[in-house]
Amino acid sequence: MRILLVEDDNRVADALTGALRRHGYEVRRAANAADALAAPAVDLVLLDLGLPDRDGIEVCRELRARGGVPVIAVTARGDEPDRVRGLRSGADDYVVKPFGTAELLARIEAVLRRSVSQRGHEDRLVAVDGLRVDLGQRTVTVHGRSVSLARKEFEILALLARAGGAAVPRDRIVVEVWQTTYDGMSRTLDVHVATLRGKLGRAGSLVQTVRGFGYRLSAGPGAAGGGAEAGGPAAAGE
């Protein structure tokens, strides 16, 4: 997923860029409105409203008018009138500084999820070999056979499907699926992935382990259908 970060403060921009890249996002940075409006197409914009060359509200309106790209306003303006003005300008969400990385990641994923649900059916359907994941209908089939998944199993699979073959970090999956940054959830994630692979049958090999990083959904070589992460009982606490 490609994110345009529009932020004039180098220190803040560097910190955000590093955090987003560690969580699997491709980040392009713009330091002002002119660069933001000239940037290539992305999947989401993180927009500071306090830009040096133009009001961020105007930039938000123009970005949305050009193509409807999702926009999250990231700003120190926390008063209610400012939040209302930002949302009415077309922003999909409004994050007030300072904020935690987990909160920002959750908001990004929520906005991207809503964006996917608003697109056409074909955009919501991810097909990899014989595996078909319908993000809108929340259904999964393998070679035409319906597969019943628990809620968190589907959310893991959907998150990987939306990544378009890119690897998704383990901590990002935990944040998005369980809404927590608790380190102890790593084993729970592994068990859910193992159960997911089992339910997908031979298509479970498409859910690949990226050693020391996370998981991805890919038809390429190196599928992790076995090993330590492919076994074990289902975790409790769905």
Side-chain angles (χ1 to χ4, degrees):
M1 286 288 183
R2 301 160 300 172
I3 291 180
L4 174 63
L5 172 61
V6 187
E7 171 61 64
D8 64 316
D9 186 314
N10 291 331
R11 182 181 58 83
V12 174
D14 289 345
L16 285 175
T17 297
L20 291 169
R21 285 176 176 166
R22 285 193 299 272
H23 286 81
Y25 291 104
E26 177 184 335
V27 182
R28 176 182 293 271
R29 189 260 177 116
N32 53 53
D35 290 345
L37 295 172
V42 293
D43 299 295
L44 181 139
V45 178
L46 292 176
L47 175 64
D48 182 11
L49 298 184
L51 298 175
D53 52 343
R54 282 185 66 181
D55 185 355
I57 295 292
E58 296 177 1
V59 177
C60 182
R61 289 196 184 103
E62 189 162 341
L63 286 170
R64 293 307 302 267
R66 288 184 172 190
V69 61
V71 176
I72 298 179
V74 182
T75 177
R77 304 178 187 177
D79 293 338
E80 183 178 1
D82 290 321
R83 294 198 303 271
V84 170
R85 186 166 171 249
L87 293 170
R88 285 180 174 170
S89 73
D92 296 87
D93 203 348
Y94 198 104
V95 184
V96 178
K97 301 175 183 177
F99 50 83
T101 301
E103 177 189 0
L104 181 61
L105 290 170
R107 289 178 182 270
I108 289 172
E109 185 60 29
V111 168
L112 289 173
R113 212 164 33 234
R114 291 197 298 268
S115 178
V116 167
S117 70
Q118 292 167 359
R119 297 173 189 161
H121 180 74
E122 291 302 317
D123 288 338
R124 293 180 290 157
L125 183 63
V126 178
V128 182
D129 286 354
L131 173 66
R132 293 167 66 90
V133 183
D134 191 319
L135 301 172
Q137 298 297 319
R138 296 180 65 86
T139 59
V140 177
T141 60
V142 175
H143 297 294
R145 174 180 62 87
S146 179
V147 178
S148 178
L149 299 179
R151 180 172 60 87
K152 293 191 184 302
E153 293 163 3
F154 179 84
E155 289 174 358
I156 293 169
L157 183 59
L159 181 57
L160 300 180
R162 285 193 296 268
V168 182
R170 301 173 65 87
D171 53 355
R172 179 181 163 200
I173 299 174
V174 169
V175 166
E176 299 302 338
V177 175
W178 281 275
Q179 287 81 51
T180 182
T181 57
Y182 175 53
D183 291 338
M185 294 300 296
S186 183
R187 176 55 183 162
T188 300
L189 169 60
D190 292 341
V191 172
H192 276 73
V193 170
T195 305
L196 169 62
R197 285 172 173 157
K199 290 183 178 181
L200 294 178
R202 296 179 64 181
S205 64
L206 301 174
V207 180
Q208 300 179 0
T209 299
V210 181
R211 300 294 180 185
F213 186 76
Y215 295 98
R216 69 182 173 196
L217 182 66
S218 174
E229 295 189 352
E238 277 286 349

